[in-house]
Amino acid sequence: MKYYLLFFLIGFPLLTGCNDSKKDQEGTFIGGQIMNPYNPFFVLSKDNKTIDTLFLDQNNQFGKKLEGLEPGIYSFKHPPENQIMYLEPGDSVLVWLNTMQFDESLNFSGPGAAKSSFLLDMFLNNERNNDMMLSYYKINPTEFAGITDSIKESRKNKLKVLNEKEQFSKSFLELANNSIDYDFYHLRERYTFLVKKYYNELAQQIPDDFNSYRKDLNFNDTQLKEYYGYLNFIEDHLRTRSIERCLDELDTNSKCFELHSVSNIRYRINLADSLIEKDEIKNIFINRLAIQGLTFSDNAEKIDRILGILEDIEFNGANFPDLKQIAEIQKNLLPGNNIGKLPLINLKDELINLEDISNKPIVTYHWSLEAPEHYKWQHIIINNLRQKYPELEFVGINIDEGSKQSWKNTVRTYAMNKEREYKLNSPDININLLKNYLNKLIFLDTDGTIINGSAQLNTPNFERQILEFLNK
């Protein structure tokens, strides 16, 4: 029997006590056990606001009854990892996970846990579908439509069978059905984007009804605003619409097709502003798009134009001051600026300036403990690049504030190059804003002058940029 089931059978009565009264039944119990914990707490939140922090005991177990929780999707975090769960009054949900395989090991049990298990299953299937897209997006549109129809039908049938057993609430059933729909829409949008941008022959074969669901879209579903699939769909829908606009109104050589161009960012921000009425959803996408536009600007004029777009729509989101700070950070990272004096800490706790690390030209890459899948994938690629381009020095910079021992442990655990891993030592920089630069690399000449500040590891032209850097 799994440890989490044993914990449930033994620990749950002790933690929750008697459930006889109506008041007890209206509360919501959350408990669980975390194997190989990163830290001693489990944080429950909703709408980016912390509901409660539950601390682990000596057995890495936690549990607490919470009053007044509204039905809906909640986020929980065991930093740096996070996931979602669905809670309603009367639920008694236990969470079991092993941080060595966070999502794959995650298991919910107890009364009401089937709702969270269903959403987790959806998440894992969506991850597999993302991989599927890499091989399926080049197939005929009619064939792809059949695949996505089958996925949707299978999920609807699974929900129906599960509901016969669990008797879900009306609110969860509505959310679950909508989540299936928007995951389906997301697959269709991604396919539409890819073929219209890269495969014109396939784009000409897309049936008229391929995107017929668009007439029924709801961009203001606050019940789904914490569901990954819904947010991913909206992001891809805006992106696809921008490409379709390019095809309809402009020539194929237009910069409109460049997703980080000012014209494309402007179109998507204006589209989000017009389609989405709820500020709590609208601001998510305006903020994301502004960050994309700012962090990929290669001159000060573009940066100012992106800020101008926000002023044109009278954007007053809470993150606007942060966007202005990102604009200043980006101006400091433009080609020609020198960051050689950037202070870093090595694994021996010694302070060293970036320019003093090597006599070779430097390529910096950046990572955070809060994005484990990113740094695992990133370091595999970097190790290969080190072998391929020995004339360059690839320097890793961890941007997290504090967490020095966790940083060292991670470097050792994942066998990173100890001689080329450093930690940022700049207390005057807003670390949270630097997380927007995790996908970017910076090319520096031997004195620390920036040659290219907009390279991105996962783009088709990345190695071409390396060769241009070497041959400058």
Side-chain angles (χ1 to χ4, degrees), residues 127-281:
E127 291 289 290
R128 287 188 282 271
N129 287 340
N130 286 336
D131 294 335
M132 175 197 77
M133 286 293 294
L134 296 177
S135 57
Y136 279 177
Y137 74 87
K138 296 181 183 178
I139 66 175
N140 179 280
T142 302
E143 187 179 351
F144 185 84
I147 293 171
T148 53
D149 285 340
S150 178
I151 291 172
K152 179 181 178 181
E153 183 180 3
S154 174
R155 292 186 180 188
K156 292 279 187 177
N157 288 336
K158 181 174 182 179
L159 178 61
K160 182 179 179 181
V161 171
L162 197 58
N163 183 49
E164 290 173 357
K165 175 185 176 182
E166 301 291 341
Q167 295 297 298
F168 291 132
S169 65
K170 181 180 178 181
S171 61
F172 177 74
L173 268 180
E174 180 182 2
L175 180 141
N177 274 297
N178 286 339
S179 66
I180 293 172
D181 289 339
Y182 280 98
D183 284 337
F184 166 76
Y185 303 156
H186 183 220
L187 287 173
R188 292 288 183 98
E189 290 292 334
R190 287 192 66 193
Y191 179 87
T192 304
F193 167 78
L194 288 168
V195 299
K196 288 192 173 182
K197 183 169 172 61
Y198 299 109
Y199 297 96
N200 184 59
E201 183 178 344
L202 286 175
Q204 300 303 316
Q205 301 174 40
I206 294 179
D208 292 339
D209 63 349
F210 191 83
N211 302 113
S212 60
Y213 55 83
R214 287 182 177 179
K215 63 182 183 297
D216 299 318
L217 296 176
N218 178 6
F219 295 96
N220 298 285
D221 193 335
T222 54
Q223 189 185 31
L224 283 174
K225 66 183 177 183
E226 299 214 26
Y227 180 65
Y228 307 121
Y230 181 63
L231 299 179
N232 289 340
F233 159 74
I234 294 178
E235 184 166 19
D236 267 22
H237 179 74
L238 297 173
R239 186 173 66 167
T240 305
R241 290 276 299 272
S242 76
I243 296 302
E244 291 174 342
R245 175 239 178 184
C246 298
L247 292 169
D248 292 341
E249 300 179 12
L250 303 165
D251 64 82
T252 55
N253 294 320
S254 169
K255 288 188 176 181
C256 174
F257 285 88
E258 297 176 14
L259 294 178
H260 300 127
S261 69
V262 175
S263 61
N264 192 292
I265 293 292
R266 180 187 298 277
Y267 178 77
R268 282 188 282 165
I269 286 179
N270 287 332
L271 186 60
D273 190 42
S274 65
L275 291 177
I276 309 171
E277 297 176 0
K278 298 288 186 181
D279 284 343
E280 62 264 45
I281 299 176

Side-chain angles (χ1 to χ4, degrees), residues 2-14:
K2 291 274 191 182
Y3 289 119
Y4 63 83
L5 291 176
L6 184 62
F7 173 61
F8 170 66
L9 293 172
I10 297 174
F12 178 68
L14 297 175

Side-chain angles (χ1 to χ4, degrees), residues 266-324:
R266 180 187 298 277
Y267 178 77
R268 282 188 282 165
I269 286 179
N270 287 332
L271 186 60
D273 190 42
S274 65
L275 291 177
I276 309 171
E277 297 176 0
K278 298 288 186 181
D279 284 343
E280 62 264 45
I281 299 176
K282 177 192 294 190
N283 290 350
I284 291 172
F285 295 98
I286 292 179
N287 189 62
R288 284 184 186 180
L289 290 165
I291 289 172
Q292 288 179 34
L294 292 170
T295 57
F296 284 92
S297 292
D298 56 10
N299 61 57
E301 180 190 1
K302 289 182 181 178
I303 294 171
D304 291 337
R305 288 172 66 191
I306 296 295
L307 292 179
I309 295 169
L310 300 179
E311 292 171 358
D312 290 342
I313 65 168
E314 299 181 350
F315 179 65
N316 59 358
N319 291 328
F320 197 22
D322 287 343
L323 295 175
K324 291 181 177 179

